[in-house]
Amino acid sequence: MANVMNVHSSVPTDAGSRHPVAIAGLNHWFGEGEARKQVIFDVNMRIEGGSLTILMGPSGSGKTTLLTLAGCLRDVQEGSVKMFGQELYGASERELVANRRRMGFIFQAHNLHESLTATQNVMMGLEVHGRDDRGRYLEASHHLLGLMGLGDRFDYLPSNLSGGQKQRVAVARALVGNPDIVFADEPTAALDKDSGGRVIRMLKRLGAERGTTTVMVTHDNRILELADRVVTLEDGRVVDDSAH
Amino acid sequence: MTNALARVLGRLPIGWLQLVHSKTRLAAAVAGVAFANVLVFVQLGIFGALSETILVTYELFDADILISANDANTFLEGSNVARQRTYQALTVPGIAAALPVYTALTEWTQDDGNTSSLQVIGIDPGAARFLRQDLRERIPELAILNTALLDVNTRGVDAELMDTVKSGRSIDFELNGRTITIRGAVSFGGGFTADGYLFVSDQTFLRIFQKRISGAPDHILLKATAGAGVAAIVDQLNLIFPRDNLRVRTLERAAQEDLAYQTTERPIGLIFGFGVVIGVIVGIVIVYQVLSTDVADHMREYATFKAIGYRQRFFLGIVLEEAVILALFGFAPGISISWFIYGVLGQKSGLPLEMSVATATMVLIGTILACTFSGGIATRRLASADPADLF
Ligand SMILES: Nc1ncnc2c1ncn2[C@@H]1O[C@H](COP(=O)(O)OP(=O)(O)OP(=O)(O)O)[C@@H](O)[C@H]1O
Ligand SMILES: [Mg+2]
């Protein structure tokens, strides 16, 4: 994967942090006053660098909530979430943004920008790291789209791509910046078997070659076999945590 | 275009791509900006022409100082000045000559029933040196009683009749029950208060306006001797004359004060000032409308970008990029249409409507500022783009 850009090689990875994500005593509530309801109960977990961790559990068990908390998209209310050794509880918006730039997000919906071509959408994953040689950005984006099997769709607008193709563009956007950690929420839900398999193999390969950590919510049993670890949530609590 | 913008911005021109993606929205916004520009340009054009025509009256003369009644806010308005002030003024050292000026408005009904209003100006035909250089030559002819020189720019005059006047042949017409012979046409520059100017001798003036008397002209013009300090003379005259009913000003100052009065205290000036404000508001509202809908429509995409790690500044940049593009795209047709309207309006009204580089630059900068302002308010909705809602 020589062509995937190492755009933030200057960011020092914290020495000896075997655990890119370390969660301790995490509680989370939604709503105010009467409607206030706890959805995460005393969650503790450390995630190994370079591993593929899968979050499972019934609907409403808190998988997405946990993912957004670890992904710096929600403020930590109680407990501790450490990202590469840095505490997110009470972190400033600036620190959260800096952390987000080390992550890749893959959403259930592709969330591509309708006005941008496939290539331009992927480039958005690189431009966040600042001005650079645009030729390099373009090359890296094309390379990743090629890996996703979209080598002949570079200049297509999302409206001219199939659902599976759009999701693969979104995956390329999440991976192009060569993130340290990827958060994915049912990324293969909208994909056919082949596309889904391709995405997962891609993530595995990244993990192996670059030490990229992946945390993924999925119901897809085929993926379970590839996971290093499966964490099961129920009613906001970890009820099962098993290495594969 | 996309590549050029990418080079300038150092990033993908998202704003531009968004705009061209929804062509209807782009067209609506551009039309809105163009419309606002046309409004502002036309108002400014008429306002500028109004200002210019106010000054034209003063530019007819070549003199240093103007003595007028205290209530003479414009050249045509106000009380008279006693002619004896002429002699009084001449006693002040540094004053070379003085000239009483008579002026009044009248209606000229032509044979075909058309009427034009004329500002009649009467002076001693022997005092041509008080007039602008190019007008001097023909003034002595006015010594013949009941003769006049007509402004070629007079509105509402039959073209054929004007051609005859221009050719130099004399034409008789009736004014206030008197037969006046037009001996020729002179280009004075068109007026706003009246459709045109008519120059006559002071004697002819007093015959046309029977109620006016020679002892009470409207203004007195003074010429200073070469090298005399005009400001000092004005001060001295102000000491001699009772300040409560006369005002002594340099001719230039008088022109500026007339302009200021008519453009800020007169309904006509206020109406055009108001028109400019309306144009600006219309532009701001339309651009705000378009940009805030655009922001609302892209909330999901913006939330995604937030998740990726883009900061508020980036989104502000997108909206401002759109604002500037809309300003430039709207300005181009706006100025073109205005140019066309200036031509038509100028021809129909005889007003000197001119598209100056200064006005165009000012409107362009104003357009960019107004669009940026609209974009700035539109970005307030961005705060509600929450990436946590994407899952
Ligand atoms: N923004 C919110 N405001 C209030 N309650 C919320 C919000 N988001 C989630 N919840 C509640 O929190 C609980 C956990 O939701 P979450 O989305 O994390 O579940 P999930 O495991 O991802 O479910 P699914 O498999 O259906 O996606 C649910 O009871 C849900 O109703
Ligand atoms: Mg969920």
Side-chain angles (χ1 to χ4, degrees):
Chain A
M1 201 159 306
N3 242 330
V4 175
M5 307 193 74
N6 190 9
V7 282
H8 41 75
S9 52
S10 57
V11 177
T13 30
D14 318 278
S17 114
R18 256 184 58 219
H19 305 290
V21 183
I23 299 171
L26 184 69
N27 291 302
H28 198 82
W29 290 263
F30 278 121
E32 302 276 319
E34 293 273 299
R36 189 167 154 95
K37 181 183 126 196
Q38 186 163 5
V39 295
I40 297 287
F41 295 84
D42 190 32
V43 168
N44 297 279
M45 78 168 65
R46 285 158 174 260
I47 290 172
E48 297 280 331
S51 69
L52 169 57
T53 300
I54 290 195
L55 286 180
M56 294 193 62
S59 181
S61 57
K63 307 179 295 292
T64 296
T65 308
L66 192 57
L67 206 65
T68 52
L69 282 165
C72 300
L73 299 179
R74 262 185 219 294
D75 289 335
V76 178
Q77 295 170 345
E78 193 180 296
S80 159
V81 176
K82 281 190 176 151
M83 177 81 22
F84 310 108
Q86 194 198 344
E87 180 59 59
L88 296 186
Y89 178 78
S92 70
E93 177 68 19
R94 195 180 197 86
E95 290 166 328
L96 291 180
V97 169
N99 267 312
R100 276 183 211 155
R101 293 186 180 176
R102 302 177 69 174
M103 304 172 189
F105 290 99
I106 306 170
F107 310 92
Q108 245 173 304
H110 55 82
N111 291 332
L112 295 182
H113 196 306
E114 46 156 19
S115 317
L116 307 185
T117 63
T119 306
Q120 289 168 334
N121 265 294
V122 176
M123 279 177 82
M124 289 307 293
L126 287 170
E127 292 201 339
V128 71
H129 300 291
R131 285 168 184 249
D132 195 280
D133 177 6
R134 299 185 53 77
R136 263 196 344 130
Y137 279 180
L138 191 70
E139 200 183 313
S141 302
H142 282 166
H143 176 75
L144 215 62
L145 282 172
L147 287 180
M148 287 291 154
L150 293 169
D152 53 350
R153 294 287 186 275
F154 289 164
D155 297 326
Y156 279 53
L157 287 173
S159 54
N160 297 327
L161 294 172
S162 73
Q165 289 170 331
K166 280 187 262 207
Q167 188 63 329
R168 278 183 278 155
V169 174
V171 172
R173 177 179 62 191
L175 300 184
V176 73
N178 192 22
D180 291 321
I181 184 161
V182 173
F183 292 101
D185 197 344
E186 303 188 47
T188 56
L191 298 186
D192 56 52
K193 192 164 167 264
D194 279 0
S195 304
R198 202 198 293 263
V199 168
I200 303 304
R201 277 195 301 281
M202 182 81 194
L203 289 170
K204 276 292 276 188
R205 206 169 129 195
L206 261 178
E209 291 177 11
R210 308 218 54 120
T212 307
T213 310
T214 303
V215 181
M216 184 188 299
V217 172
T218 185
H219 293 113
D220 192 338
N221 288 322
R222 289 165 300 166
I223 298 172
L224 291 185
E225 296 154 23
L226 298 168
D228 297 307
R229 180 182 178 189
V230 177
V231 176
T232 310
L233 285 180
E234 243 169 63
D235 293 329
R237 292 181 174 87
V238 177
V239 294
D240 189 54
D241 191 344
S242 56
H244 269 230
Chain B
M1 181 75 184
T2 304
N3 280 330
L5 275 173
R7 199 149 299 157
V8 173
L9 296 167
R11 59 166 169 81
L12 278 174
I14 315 270
W16 160 252
L17 292 168
Q18 257 170 226
L19 284 175
V20 290
H21 190 76
S22 35
K23 301 247 165 26
T24 338
R25 182 171 297 162
L26 176 64
V30 166
V33 174
F35 175 71
N37 268 325
V38 168
L39 262 181
V40 170
F41 266 125
V42 170
Q43 301 289 338
L44 283 181
I46 295 176
F47 196 77
L50 166 68
S51 307
E52 197 150 305
T53 50
I54 289 168
L55 298 180
V56 157
T57 314
Y58 295 88
E59 284 161 2
L60 294 173
F61 303 102
D62 177 10
D64 300 302
I65 297 166
L66 185 74
I67 303 175
S68 321
N70 232 338
D71 55 358
N73 288 317
T74 73
F75 200 80
L76 258 172
E77 282 174 22
S79 316
N80 303 316
V81 179
R83 190 174 48 180
Q84 65 179 36
R85 304 293 179 200
T86 315
Y87 314 120
Q88 245 178 309
L90 282 169
T91 63
V92 173
I95 292 181
L99 175 74
V101 179
Y102 303 82
T103 187
L105 270 186
T106 189
E107 286 282 319
W108 168 28
T109 307
Q110 294 151 43
D111 292 342
D112 57 5
N114 279 347
T115 61
S116 298
S117 63
L118 293 176
Q119 178 174 357
V120 185
I121 296 174
I123 58 164
D124 174 0
R129 65 185 185 286
F130 275 91
L131 290 180
R132 205 171 66 195
Q133 200 82 38
D134 58 304
L135 302 178
R136 289 180 191 173
E137 207 181 302
R138 314 222 34 194
I139 296 299
E141 299 173 28
L142 297 178
I144 303 167
L145 212 56
N146 296 334
T147 59
L149 292 171
L150 180 70
D151 181 1
V152 287
N153 302 304
T154 305
R155 288 182 292 268
V157 179
D158 178 55
E160 214 173 303
L161 178 66
M162 190 55 96
D163 282 342
T164 317
V165 174
K166 281 184 196 164
S167 74
R169 266 176 288 147
S170 296
I171 286 200
D172 289 349
F173 72 96
E174 200 165 297
L175 206 57
N176 286 2
R178 286 232 151 226
T179 303
I180 300 293
T181 307
I182 297 181
R183 294 186 57 92
V186 184
S187 181
F188 295 125
F192 195 79
T193 18
D195 291 325
Y197 293 101
L198 190 74
F199 256 76
V200 294
S201 70
D202 43 3
Q203 297 309 312
T204 306
F205 181 92
L206 295 170
R207 280 176 170 71
I208 298 173
F209 301 96
Q210 303 264 341
K211 283 185 190 141
R212 297 292 302 269
I213 52 169
S214 61
D218 294 273
H219 304 274
I220 294 167
L221 285 170
L222 301 178
K223 262 174 164 317
T225 50
V230 175
I233 297 174
V234 168
D235 288 344
Q236 212 174 340
L237 287 170
N238 271 320
L239 282 179
I240 297 174
F241 296 140
R243 289 209 86 163
D244 51 341
N245 60 45
L246 283 187
R247 65 211 299 204
V248 184
R249 298 167 291 177
T250 62
L251 187 62
E252 213 169 305
R253 174 94 184 271
Q256 292 305 325
E257 285 183 5
D258 185 342
L259 179 66
Y261 172 78
Q262 296 209 52
T263 52
T264 58
E265 285 180 44
R266 276 286 188 76
I268 186 96
L270 291 179
I271 284 168
F272 290 118
F274 190 62
V276 171
V277 172
I278 293 289
V280 171
I281 290 175
V282 165
I284 287 180
V285 167
I286 292 177
V287 172
Y288 167 75
Q289 200 55 43
V290 166
L291 289 184
S292 69
T293 334
D294 191 68
V295 167
D297 284 357
H298 291 97
M299 260 343 190
R300 255 194 112 70
E301 285 94 337
Y302 291 164
T304 308
F305 291 154
K306 267 193 189 173
I308 291 176
Y310 285 95
R311 302 176 67 87
Q312 185 71 13
R313 225 185 19 223
F314 168 78
F315 303 105
L316 215 74
I318 293 180
V319 179
L320 294 187
E321 173 192 334
E322 291 185 302
V324 172
I325 289 172
L326 291 183
L328 296 178
F329 275 49
F331 182 77
I335 193 169
S336 311
I337 295 169
S338 305
W339 192 295
F340 175 76
I341 292 179
Y342 275 21
V344 174
L345 212 63
Q347 201 150 36
K348 287 239 185 295
S349 69
L351 283 175
L353 289 151
E354 263 174 58
M355 179 72 74
S356 69
V357 176
T359 312
T361 313
M362 193 176 78
V363 173
L364 175 61
I365 292 173
T367 306
I368 293 175
L369 285 181
C371 287
T372 310
F373 174 72
S374 301
I377 330 177
T379 54
R380 282 188 317 174
R381 301 178 81 153
L382 276 172
S384 59
D386 184 358
D389 296 339
L390 290 172
F391 287 96

